[in-house]
Amino acid sequence: MQGYALTMHKIPVGVLGASGYAGRELCALVARHPALSLGFAAANERRGECLRIDGRALIFVAAEDAPLHQTPLVFTALPHGQSAEWVDRARGAGARVIDLSSDFRPGSARSTGVPYGLPELTRETVRGASLVANPGCYATAILLALVPAVAGGLIATDATVSVTAASGVTGAGTSPRRDLMFGEVTENFSAYALGNTHHHLAEVRSTLGAFGGDGIDLVFTPHLLPVARGILATVTLPLAVPLADPLAVWSDFYAGEPFIEVTAGAPSLRDVAHRNVARISVVAAAGVRRPTLVVVVAIDNLLKGAAGQAMQNANLVLGLDETAGLAA
Amino acid sequence: MQGYALTMHKIPVGVLGASGYAGRELCALVARHPALSLGFAAANERRGECLRIDGRALIFVAAEDAPLHQTPLVFTALPHGQSAEWVDRARGAGARVIDLSSDFRPGSARSTGVPYGLPELTRETVRGASLVANPGCYATAILLALVPAVAGGLIATDATVSVTAASGVTGAGTSPRRDLMFGEVTENFSAYALGNTHHHLAEVRSTLGAFGGDGIDLVFTPHLLPVARGILATVTLPLAVPLADPLAVWSDFYAGEPFIEVTAGAPSLRDVAHRNVARISVVAAAGVRRPTLVVVVAIDNLLKGAAGQAMQNANLVLGLDETAGLAA
Amino acid sequence: MQGYALTMHKIPVGVLGASGYAGRELCALVARHPALSLGFAAANERRGECLRIDGRALIFVAAEDAPLHQTPLVFTALPHGQSAEWVDRARGAGARVIDLSSDFRPGSARSTGVPYGLPELTRETVRGASLVANPGCYATAILLALVPAVAGGLIATDATVSVTAASGVTGAGTSPRRDLMFGEVTENFSAYALGNTHHHLAEVRSTLGAFGGDGIDLVFTPHLLPVARGILATVTLPLAVPLADPLAVWSDFYAGEPFIEVTAGAPSLRDVAHRNVARISVVAAAGVRRPTLVVVVAIDNLLKGAAGQAMQNANLVLGLDETAGLAA
Amino acid sequence: MQGYALTMHKIPVGVLGASGYAGRELCALVARHPALSLGFAAANERRGECLRIDGRALIFVAAEDAPLHQTPLVFTALPHGQSAEWVDRARGAGARVIDLSSDFRPGSARSTGVPYGLPELTRETVRGASLVANPGCYATAILLALVPAVAGGLIATDATVSVTAASGVTGAGTSPRRDLMFGEVTENFSAYALGNTHHHLAEVRSTLGAFGGDGIDLVFTPHLLPVARGILATVTLPLAVPLADPLAVWSDFYAGEPFIEVTAGAPSLRDVAHRNVARISVVAAAGVRRPTLVVVVAIDNLLKGAAGQAMQNANLVLGLDETAGLAA
């Protein structure tokens, strides 16, 4: 890859599924990237239409017409189940692929041998890979909250770990749905996928297992927020033993990470909006017999939860600085 | 009290703190009540101003000028700490009082002998009382979710019960605060009072104790929603033993209650907005070793969480039908 | 119709298109009406589903299965173009019809002989009619603002009357559309139908003509608001001669009208939300040579702009009190 | 100023009033500017507090402690009436000043000799100036819409020009006010300052006069939107004679302007959010005798309406590229 940098040519990359929320963010990130240029933006149902990004115009092409063989790297931001075919096509054309669907994530049929791209936890497996499974947005928030405790063996083995999380509506995609219309979402809030039925749980459990957290009883309840973007997850975490300084566990675990902010104050969506960061706070609960922590993590679901993290992975795959194009 | 009804005269009641969110709801509920009329609406900082309720005009008086001795019942909807003095004055003038502050709630200095007015749990202590402590909005949601399990002895004794709840901004009152400005709240979401520091926990713990739940390790994390009104609480509840039909436990416990709706589908704020009801759903979590339930409850924080519940209590105190003026 | 009242039987009425925003409001209004009951609620795509209204359950039927011949009055709240057929069927079955579509409004092919049901302007033509064309939401706001000036001959004959109005998203119906998704509407605002291309203009111009306003140059620009419900219209109105007390012109014109509130302060959507009223304010502009008024009117687009006004018309058609079931 | 660039040193600039909405945007713009650095950020009521901008921490100082003499340029983003004193102090210390208040704008007591910094209209007077009056947000939108027509002599001399505009709440500043609380603004919309009483009219009229539009009868009605940021203005513009291609008038007038986008489609707030651009559309109204245009303009009130425009002015004052630090 270095040849590109030496000659000052930018590396052309492509985006399949460029009209969705994550796809649009990817196009914008590529447009601002110092070492990448946008080779194509494919979106079948909007082919021929023009999208302005930072004042520049972009014409969507059909996926069939995408010059896959001319782009050393392709982002696939297609619906779950439709992505695998295009990943195969892009790889067949010689491109490396960052796949934002769940088709290759841990727990999926085709996950074997595909690195899971949550760089703060799995960086070394991503470097130079030819295909990376980009994590789900909820999974990113939950894993960043839990892994420091799991890796440290801090969680009580007989405990139930409760995770509630709330997401903005862009997490549900751009396809028109009655329940996502403004008139239904404004001034509303609801839980869904009750009883551990959300499909992100597979990649969460599999990744926790890789860090020694196989036996954790995790209960996850997602909620739909009347906001466009952002995920905030709140974890109630019973401990095996009390911790003198719980915040330090997370601070130490993420020391030096450019995209993780461990803070004393509780994070809000506003702190992370339009930024590729996760902000994490940890507090010990008062008035309980069993020592218990409350961990709160906030991310922008479209950046650290999707396109931003995909760019971290692309940088790692291409041998670039992981932070390139991702001002924190 | 019957004399009022027989002669078709309406009972005059007063509202102290009538310009706050709960106070305004109370005035509106009184205005529509078949057996009550609004004797006065007091709000010092807006005295002399006019408020329209359902097309009728209302002039705010100063609290000092409120004709307390002419109203057999007074609602005190004043800030915590300021209410007790006015409760004493109103009772000194012969009025019965429904107090919406925390000054007389379980866990407060003056709670002894004062019934806690969550009628579905404490109805008999409220009937005919001279003073009732109206529950907090979060406490109402949490207790309605937990008491059926506590009373049935269903909760694992060594378990950690996680409660996360999200409230609309009217729960924080009408006083201008920078963090409640539209520009700060829109497109935002945050947790606060991390680590069991919210002041509603005292009345929750005390009331759970009265139902045999003294030893429960409860961790409560409230959140601020970008909506005007509503509270949705999500409870992760580890059980002592599996339940064949968890929903039936709550259905049976609340059988015949006019203001409780136990439903199979997850409730949303929209289901309960502008209604004096609590809607509750219960689901067993999949994929966990210890049987665990997820209980979700939604209320309108200003009605079932404040003014509507206060009207239930007023009806009980005055010997009226508990549902009078409160179409579900 | 009196027989119904004398025997205390309620008149059964039906709603075709009961799952749309206006249809649901109609069902709720009928449920609370002292003299009407809901004979059927038809909504093809939701047939068999249950809707709760004020705590009561309602089962949607298919339009084909609606017992039209058993309901003396039917509301048709169907999409424009689809309504006329069902109006004919309902009338063929002997029902009187309040049609909420544009199919019979002034300017439409089938408008001849059909009274336009804006009672404050056209009340006498509505009484006892067998079919009434219920006005559009924008048209209601604009006509209530303009007719007092037109009828009084106050508008400069060579002037351009500017009307801008902003509507909540429920004005666009319940069909899923990408541009009405929460993620597209929140934090957004836009003008549309620029250059007098909105289809409500026909009924506005025709009705103004009936009041002597044939020659008015009207320019109407609608906007889409990030709110669920409400319309606020702002009219800039150049006058033929100065007016000493412009507010009095509107106050006098609407004297005694139960659903019109002429106020000195500028109205807001909140003043009229969930109420069947129009609130109007009028101010003379400073710093202009030609005397000019600014007229602002706010309505709830689903009540005074749709279902509430339809109920006024139904009451007039059935010989009931026009305000029955419509607490202001 | 060139010495700075040659030696690659960044020019230190200061912000007085750095904790307000415009002030924070200014700090962020300076932080990203290729040739400027943030010398100080002063905000009395938050002195000592820390603000993160793009991942960097910033400590607010008191205005009294601001090192005015070490910053060649100072932005004053203080409340109207309080700004003039600090402008004088900063100039006394040798700094050039971009003042975002109304204290020096056309029509104010101290406007004489102070260039009005709306670069697309007044660029040459701003270059190298020692003090610039940065326009109001509404004024920016209105003037960009009107001046091409005024300068071209297109407006009918006896006509009334109607301007309605709607602004997000950040236009009203950060001071807590009851009417700007989330619970009051959400799901609401209202007109205010009816009858030409908004204080931005002075700078609008004065600037129109400078382009030959002295005799225009302008009626301006502002509205408050439930969004955080953005202004959309809708102008109804009666013409002296018909125009074959009205859009071309605006396109030609703004040809080559990097921050003006003249488009056929109607603009929305989303098109311009977080961008220093004005997007303008122009359409001829159908169905009117007198030829009339509808001009719609959208800006981000905090960028093109405040901080972004201030940076354009700062670049002009310092002899830098006008677009530096302002990617469109």
Side-chain angles (χ1 to χ4, degrees):
Chain A
M1 290 298 118
Q2 278 195 321
Y4 286 103
L6 286 173
T7 60
M8 302 299 288
H9 285 150
K10 290 189 171 184
I11 306 172
V13 303
V15 177
L16 289 166
S19 67
Y21 285 117
R24 278 188 259 170
E25 292 285 330
L26 280 166
C27 292
L29 288 175
V30 172
R32 291 176 206 147
H33 197 289
L36 304 181
S37 66
L38 193 54
F40 66 83
N44 285 352
E45 51 183 279
R46 306 190 69 176
R47 81 174 89 178
E49 286 183 41
C50 179
L51 180 69
R52 279 171 182 265
I53 293 180
D54 288 338
R56 276 177 282 186
L58 172 79
I59 306 293
F60 291 120
V61 300
E64 291 288 349
D65 300 330
L68 297 169
H69 55 289
Q70 295 171 7
T71 49
L73 185 136
V74 170
F75 296 98
T76 46
L78 297 163
H80 306 309
Q82 298 177 27
S83 203
E85 177 199 341
W86 285 98
V87 169
D88 292 343
R89 287 208 204 186
R91 297 182 73 191
R96 296 166 188 236
V97 179
I98 312 296
D99 180 45
L100 283 79
S101 84
S102 64
D103 290 0
F104 296 89
R105 291 182 197 151
S108 299
R110 297 191 54 189
S111 65
T112 309
V114 180
Y116 184 61
L118 213 168
E120 290 78 8
L121 305 179
T122 66
R123 182 171 289 123
E124 294 315 313
T125 67
V126 174
R127 287 191 202 284
S130 60
L131 170 61
V132 178
N134 209 59
C137 48
Y138 280 125
T140 296
I142 296 169
L143 288 168
L144 290 174
L146 282 177
V147 166
V150 169
L154 307 179
I155 304 177
T157 54
D158 62 337
T160 301
V161 174
S162 164
V163 179
T164 59
S167 173
V169 296
T170 55
T174 49
S175 296
R177 275 168 45 186
R178 183 178 293 219
D179 62 330
L180 298 180
M181 300 266 281
F182 184 89
E184 304 301 311
V185 175
T186 184
E187 296 294 311
N188 205 353
F189 182 63
S190 54
Y192 64 99
L194 298 192
N196 273 350
T197 56
H198 195 280
H199 74 285
H200 281 186
L201 270 169
E203 64 191 275
V204 169
R205 286 188 178 127
S206 175
T207 307
L208 290 181
F211 284 90
D214 264 322
I216 294 172
D217 256 12
L218 185 75
V219 178
F220 169 47
T221 310
H223 298 70
L224 183 68
L225 274 175
V227 306
R229 58 201 290 163
I231 282 182
L232 190 123
T234 301
V235 181
T236 305
L237 199 63
L239 297 177
V241 293
L243 289 174
D245 182 0
L247 195 65
V249 173
W250 275 256
S251 293
D252 293 350
F253 190 90
Y254 292 121
E257 286 293 347
F259 298 120
I260 309 287
E261 299 173 355
V262 179
T263 61
S268 72
L269 294 191
R270 180 143 309 188
D271 295 326
V272 299
H274 299 282
R275 300 175 63 213
N276 184 55
V277 299
R279 191 175 278 203
I280 303 173
S281 191
V282 185
V283 171
V288 284
R289 290 165 304 157
R290 187 200 290 262
T292 307
L293 301 182
V294 177
V295 186
V296 180
V297 58
I299 61 171
D300 183 321
N301 63 309
L302 295 179
L303 287 173
K304 187 58 185 165
Q309 187 144 265
M311 188 58 79
Q312 284 182 260
N313 288 319
N315 287 334
L316 289 167
V317 159
L318 295 171
L320 303 172
D321 178 346
E322 186 180 327
T323 66
L326 291 168
Chain B
M1 289 298 118
Q2 279 196 321
Y4 286 103
L6 286 173
T7 59
M8 300 299 290
H9 285 151
K10 289 189 172 185
I11 306 172
V13 303
V15 178
L16 289 166
S19 67
Y21 285 117
R24 279 188 259 168
E25 292 286 330
L26 280 166
C27 293
L29 288 175
V30 172
R32 292 176 206 145
H33 196 289
L36 304 181
S37 67
L38 193 54
F40 67 82
N44 285 352
E45 51 183 279
R46 304 189 72 174
R47 79 174 90 178
E49 285 183 42
C50 178
L51 181 69
R52 279 171 182 265
I53 293 179
D54 288 336
R56 275 177 283 186
L58 171 81
I59 306 292
F60 291 121
V61 298
E64 291 288 351
D65 300 330
L68 298 169
H69 56 288
Q70 296 170 7
T71 49
L73 185 136
V74 170
F75 296 98
T76 46
L78 297 163
H80 307 309
Q82 299 176 26
S83 202
E85 177 199 341
W86 285 96
V87 169
D88 293 341
R89 286 208 206 185
R91 297 181 73 190
R96 295 167 190 237
V97 179
I98 312 296
D99 179 46
L100 282 80
S101 83
S102 64
D103 291 0
F104 296 89
R105 292 183 196 150
S108 300
R110 295 191 54 189
S111 65
T112 309
V114 180
Y116 184 61
L118 213 168
E120 290 78 9
L121 304 179
T122 65
R123 181 171 289 123
E124 295 314 314
T125 66
V126 174
R127 287 191 202 285
S130 60
L131 170 61
V132 178
N134 209 60
C137 49
Y138 280 125
T140 296
I142 296 170
L143 288 168
L144 290 173
L146 282 177
V147 166
V150 169
L154 306 179
I155 303 177
T157 54
D158 62 337
T160 302
V161 173
S162 164
V163 179
T164 59
S167 173
V169 296
T170 54
T174 48
S175 296
R177 275 168 44 186
R178 183 179 292 219
D179 61 329
L180 299 179
M181 299 266 282
F182 183 90
E184 303 301 310
V185 174
T186 183
E187 295 294 312
N188 205 355
F189 182 62
S190 54
Y192 63 99
L194 299 191
N196 272 350
T197 56
H198 195 281
H199 74 286
H200 282 187
L201 270 169
E203 65 191 275
V204 170
R205 287 190 177 124
S206 174
T207 306
L208 290 181
F211 284 89
D214 263 323
I216 294 172
D217 256 13
L218 185 76
V219 178
F220 168 48
T221 310
H223 298 71
L224 182 68
L225 273 175
V227 307
R229 57 200 290 163
I231 282 181
L232 190 124
T234 301
V235 181
T236 305
L237 199 63
L239 297 177
V241 293
L243 288 174
D245 183 358
L247 195 64
V249 174
W250 275 257
S251 295
D252 293 350
F253 190 90
Y254 292 120
E257 286 293 348
F259 299 120
I260 309 287
E261 299 173 357
V262 179
T263 61
S268 72
L269 294 191
R270 181 143 308 187
D271 295 325
V272 299
H274 299 281
R275 301 176 61 214
N276 185 55
V277 300
R279 191 174 276 203
I280 303 173
S281 191
V282 185
V283 171
V288 285
R289 290 165 302 158
R290 187 200 291 262
T292 307
L293 301 182
V294 177
V295 185
V296 181
V297 58
I299 61 171
D300 184 323
N301 64 308
L302 296 179
L303 287 173
K304 187 58 184 164
Q309 186 144 269
M311 188 59 79
Q312 283 183 262
N313 288 319
N315 287 334
L316 288 167
V317 159
L318 295 171
L320 304 172
D321 179 344
E322 185 180 326
T323 67
L326 291 169
Chain C
M1 288 296 117
Q2 278 197 320
Y4 286 103
L6 286 173
T7 61
M8 301 299 287
H9 285 150
K10 289 188 172 185
I11 307 172
V13 303
V15 178
L16 289 166
S19 67
Y21 285 116
R24 279 188 258 168
E25 292 286 330
L26 280 165
C27 292
L29 288 175
V30 172
R32 291 176 208 145
H33 196 289
L36 304 181
S37 67
L38 192 55
F40 67 82
N44 285 352
E45 51 183 279
R46 304 190 71 175
R47 79 173 90 178
E49 285 184 41
C50 179
L51 181 69
R52 280 172 182 265
I53 293 180
D54 288 337
R56 276 177 282 188
L58 172 80
I59 306 292
F60 290 120
V61 299
E64 290 288 350
D65 301 331
L68 297 169
H69 54 288
Q70 296 170 8
T71 48
L73 184 135
V74 170
F75 296 98
T76 47
L78 297 163
H80 307 308
Q82 298 177 26
S83 202
E85 177 198 341
W86 285 97
V87 168
D88 292 342
R89 286 209 205 185
R91 296 182 73 190
R96 296 166 189 238
V97 179
I98 313 296
D99 180 45
L100 282 80
S101 84
S102 64
D103 290 1
F104 296 89
R105 292 183 196 150
S108 300
R110 297 191 54 188
S111 65
T112 309
V114 180
Y116 184 62
L118 213 169
E120 290 78 7
L121 304 179
T122 65
R123 181 170 289 122
E124 294 316 314
T125 67
V126 174
R127 287 191 203 284
S130 61
L131 171 61
V132 178
N134 209 60
C137 49
Y138 280 125
T140 297
I142 296 169
L143 288 167
L144 290 174
L146 282 178
V147 166
V150 169
L154 306 178
I155 303 177
T157 54
D158 63 337
T160 302
V161 173
S162 164
V163 179
T164 59
S167 173
V169 296
T170 55
T174 49
S175 297
R177 275 169 45 186
R178 183 178 293 219
D179 61 330
L180 298 179
M181 299 266 283
F182 183 89
E184 303 302 311
V185 175
T186 184
E187 295 295 312
N188 205 353
F189 182 63
S190 53
Y192 64 99
L194 299 191
N196 273 350
T197 56
H198 195 281
H199 74 285
H200 282 185
L201 270 169
E203 65 192 275
V204 169
R205 287 192 178 123
S206 175
T207 307
L208 290 181
F211 284 89
D214 264 322
I216 294 173
D217 256 13
L218 185 75
V219 178
F220 169 47
T221 309
H223 298 70
L224 182 68
L225 272 177
V227 307
R229 58 201 288 162
I231 282 182
L232 190 123
T234 302
V235 181
T236 305
L237 199 63
L239 297 176
V241 293
L243 288 174
D245 183 359
L247 195 65
V249 174
W250 276 257
S251 293
D252 293 350
F253 190 91
Y254 292 122
E257 286 294 347
F259 298 119
I260 309 287
E261 299 172 357
V262 179
T263 61
S268 71
L269 294 190
R270 180 143 308 188
D271 294 326
V272 299
H274 299 281
R275 302 175 60 214
N276 184 55
V277 299
R279 190 174 278 202
I280 303 173
S281 190
V282 185
V283 171
V288 284
R289 289 165 304 158
R290 188 200 289 264
T292 307
L293 301 182
V294 177
V295 186
V296 181
V297 57
I299 61 171
D300 185 321
N301 63 310
L302 296 179
L303 287 173
K304 186 59 184 164
Q309 187 145 267
M311 187 58 80
Q312 284 182 261
N313 288 319
N315 287 334
L316 288 167
V317 159
L318 295 171
L320 303 171
D321 179 344
E322 186 181 327
T323 67
L326 290 168
Chain D
M1 290 296 119
Q2 280 196 318
Y4 286 104
L6 286 173
T7 60
M8 300 299 289
H9 285 151
K10 289 190 171 183
I11 306 172
V13 302
V15 178
L16 289 165
S19 67
Y21 285 117
R24 279 189 258 168
E25 292 286 329
L26 280 166
C27 292
L29 289 175
V30 172
R32 292 175 206 145
H33 196 289
L36 303 182
S37 67
L38 193 54
F40 67 82
N44 284 353
E45 51 183 278
R46 305 189 71 174
R47 80 174 89 178
E49 283 184 41
C50 178
L51 181 69
R52 279 171 182 265
I53 293 180
D54 287 338
R56 276 177 282 186
L58 171 80
I59 306 293
F60 291 120
V61 299
E64 291 287 350
D65 300 331
L68 298 169
H69 55 288
Q70 296 170 5
T71 49
L73 185 137
V74 170
F75 296 99
T76 46
L78 297 163
H80 306 309
Q82 299 177 25
S83 202
E85 177 199 342
W86 285 96
V87 169
D88 292 342
R89 287 208 205 185
R91 297 182 74 190
R96 294 165 191 239
V97 178
I98 312 296
D99 180 46
L100 282 80
S101 83
S102 64
D103 291 0
F104 296 88
R105 293 182 196 150
S108 300
R110 296 192 55 190
S111 65
T112 309
V114 180
Y116 184 61
L118 214 169
E120 290 78 9
L121 305 179
T122 65
R123 182 170 290 124
E124 294 315 313
T125 66
V126 174
R127 286 191 203 284
S130 60
L131 170 61
V132 178
N134 208 60
C137 48
Y138 280 124
T140 297
I142 296 169
L143 288 168
L144 290 173
L146 283 178
V147 166
V150 169
L154 307 178
I155 304 177
T157 53
D158 62 336
T160 301
V161 174
S162 163
V163 179
T164 59
S167 173
V169 295
T170 55
T174 49
S175 296
R177 274 168 45 186
R178 183 177 293 218
D179 62 330
L180 297 179
M181 300 267 282
F182 184 89
E184 303 301 310
V185 175
T186 184
E187 296 294 311
N188 205 355
F189 182 62
S190 54
Y192 64 99
L194 299 192
N196 272 351
T197 56
H198 195 281
H199 74 286
H200 282 185
L201 271 169
E203 64 192 276
V204 170
R205 287 191 178 123
S206 175
T207 307
L208 290 181
F211 284 89
D214 264 322
I216 294 173
D217 256 12
L218 185 76
V219 178
F220 169 47
T221 310
H223 298 69
L224 183 68
L225 273 176
V227 307
R229 57 201 290 162
I231 282 181
L232 191 123
T234 301
V235 181
T236 306
L237 198 62
L239 296 176
V241 293
L243 288 175
D245 183 359
L247 195 64
V249 173
W250 275 257
S251 294
D252 293 349
F253 190 89
Y254 293 120
E257 287 292 348
F259 299 121
I260 309 286
E261 299 173 356
V262 179
T263 62
S268 71
L269 294 191
R270 180 142 310 187
D271 296 325
V272 299
H274 298 282
R275 300 176 62 214
N276 185 56
V277 299
R279 191 174 276 204
I280 303 173
S281 191
V282 185
V283 172
V288 284
R289 291 165 301 158
R290 187 200 290 261
T292 307
L293 302 182
V294 177
V295 185
V296 180
V297 58
I299 61 171
D300 184 323
N301 63 309
L302 295 179
L303 286 173
K304 187 59 185 164
Q309 186 144 268
M311 187 58 78
Q312 283 182 261
N313 288 319
N315 288 335
L316 289 167
V317 158
L318 294 171
L320 303 172
D321 179 345
E322 185 180 326
T323 67
L326 291 167

